[in-house]
Amino acid sequence: MEKIDEHRSFGGVQRRYTHASKVCNCDMTFALYLPPLADTRRVPVVYWLSGLTCTDENFVNKAGAQRVAAELGIAIVAPDTSPRGDDVADEDSYDMGKGAGFYVNATEEPWATHYQMYDYVVKELPSLLADEFGTTLDLSREAIFGHSMGGHGALVIGLRNIDRFAAISAFSPICAPTEVPWGHKAFPKYIGDDKQDWYAYDASYLLANADNPEALPPIRVEQGLADNFLDEQLHPHRLEEAADKVGANVTVHRREGYDHSYFFIASFMEDHLRFLAEHMGGES
């Protein structure tokens, strides 16, 4: 693992690392913010998953998360959104290929060789963090959040790993990808034509069919009502319907006038970090 960037920020440190990923069969990059508290004790970890066309840097540079993370004493890990490299399969479109990994484990070629983003986020990256930062990060206290495609990823990963994540939140998430154009384009190419296989990556389906609803972590969603993707691609009402069906703790905050951009994310970042920190518990 190689450190490729570092900046002091609100008493903590913002870094970027690159490493050889066995899961994705290429070099992967992630960002890590360590708050000042990490100098003296282990701190809980929040994972941020970014949206279509983004890298690990969009969140770091635009979300304004470091000030609040420093105050709360939490680390933030932000992986890239897809595999990268000359040998990695791609398409000439923003919603498929590089920058659009959808946080799935691809089973179809040419994508399966590299696009194993679910296992990367759930297994390989936490294992790497444990090996490299085991005395700094408290990986027994984790939460996850994200935006758009990354909101979809955060919801799916959180709902499929309820023993790991204390809370989940999302900005403008794709709540029912099996029903919308982005999912209809990506899922057949990544995981095949059998729609039964798609449901493993559909948050609304996972929520509605949860085996143990009372054990589900609390979920907070922020949705701008001026979001141009809202009606066609996002469908937060489907997540609410699923939550009502099983009695899950899901709250959708609809914000008048806000769009899909990082201006929206930055406006409510503090609320989300405080929500996640509250459910991860106190100092270790």
Side-chain angles (χ1 to χ4, degrees):
M1 191 173 75
E2 178 186 357
K3 183 171 66 177
I4 56 176
D5 195 23
E6 178 173 302
H7 301 280
R8 202 72 179 166
S9 180
F10 293 98
V13 61
Q14 180 69 61
R15 296 173 179 164
R16 294 182 76 213
Y17 292 92
T18 185
H19 69 102
S21 167
K22 293 181 180 179
V23 167
C24 294
N25 194 29
C26 64
D27 288 345
M28 292 293 291
T29 302
F30 69 92
L32 170 64
Y33 179 73
L34 294 174
L37 190 62
D39 292 339
T40 57
R41 67 188 68 191
R42 295 165 72 223
V43 296
V45 180
V46 175
Y47 298 87
W48 168 268
L49 305 183
S50 287
L52 288 166
T53 76
C54 291
T55 69
D56 58 289
E57 291 188 284
N58 297 74
F59 170 82
V60 168
N61 295 333
K62 296 180 179 180
Q66 291 89 348
R67 176 186 63 80
V68 184
E71 176 193 334
L72 296 173
I74 58 177
I76 304 179
V77 177
D80 201 351
T81 54
S82 78
R84 307 281 177 174
D86 293 340
D87 296 333
V88 174
D90 196 16
E91 275 195 6
D92 189 19
S93 62
Y94 79 97
D95 54 358
M96 188 71 201
K98 294 178 185 178
F102 276 88
Y103 304 100
V104 304
N105 284 339
T107 57
E108 303 297 303
E109 294 298 345
W111 312 102
T113 303
H114 298 284
Y115 286 77
Q116 302 295 315
M117 289 300 296
Y118 180 88
D119 277 354
Y120 177 72
V121 174
V122 173
K123 298 178 181 179
E124 187 175 37
L125 183 55
S127 178
L128 179 68
L129 295 171
D131 290 343
E132 298 288 340
F133 303 101
T135 60
T136 303
L137 303 178
D138 184 356
L139 292 166
S140 70
R141 294 185 292 158
E142 297 175 297
I144 191 166
F145 68 153
H147 170 233
S148 193
M149 177 187 73
H152 140 76
L155 290 168
V156 166
I157 288 171
L159 288 168
R160 288 176 59 175
N161 298 274
I162 62 174
D163 58 329
R164 285 257 320 264
F165 298 101
I168 308 165
S169 77
F171 295 83
S172 314
I174 308 169
C175 294
T178 61
E179 302 176 3
V180 303
W182 277 336
H184 290 170
K185 178 176 181 177
F187 283 2
K189 294 181 179 181
Y190 284 143
I191 53 182
D193 293 326
D194 186 347
K195 290 189 175 182
Q196 287 300 122
D197 294 333
W198 301 5
Y199 290 128
Y201 300 103
D202 186 306
S204 296
Y205 178 87
L206 293 171
L207 189 58
N209 292 275
D211 291 332
N212 192 12
E214 61 273 13
L216 293 172
I219 298 172
R220 173 178 179 142
V221 171
E222 220 74 29
Q223 179 59 62
L225 294 181
D227 190 324
N228 60 314
F229 298 116
L230 175 56
D231 293 335
E232 184 179 34
Q233 302 280 16
L234 304 181
H235 292 194
H237 65 281
R238 299 290 287 118
L239 196 70
E240 290 174 308
E241 292 167 0
D244 289 343
K245 176 183 175 182
V246 298
N249 181 4
V250 176
T251 304
V252 178
H253 297 268
R254 290 174 169 82
R255 304 295 186 177
E256 192 71 41
Y258 285 91
D259 57 20
H260 201 73
S261 72
Y262 265 87
F263 294 105
F264 168 54
I265 295 169
S267 297
F268 300 100
M269 178 55 57
E270 180 169 352
D271 295 336
H272 280 245
L273 287 175
R274 292 192 184 281
F275 166 79
L276 298 172
E278 174 188 356
H279 292 285
M280 284 191 293
E283 298 178 356
S284 61

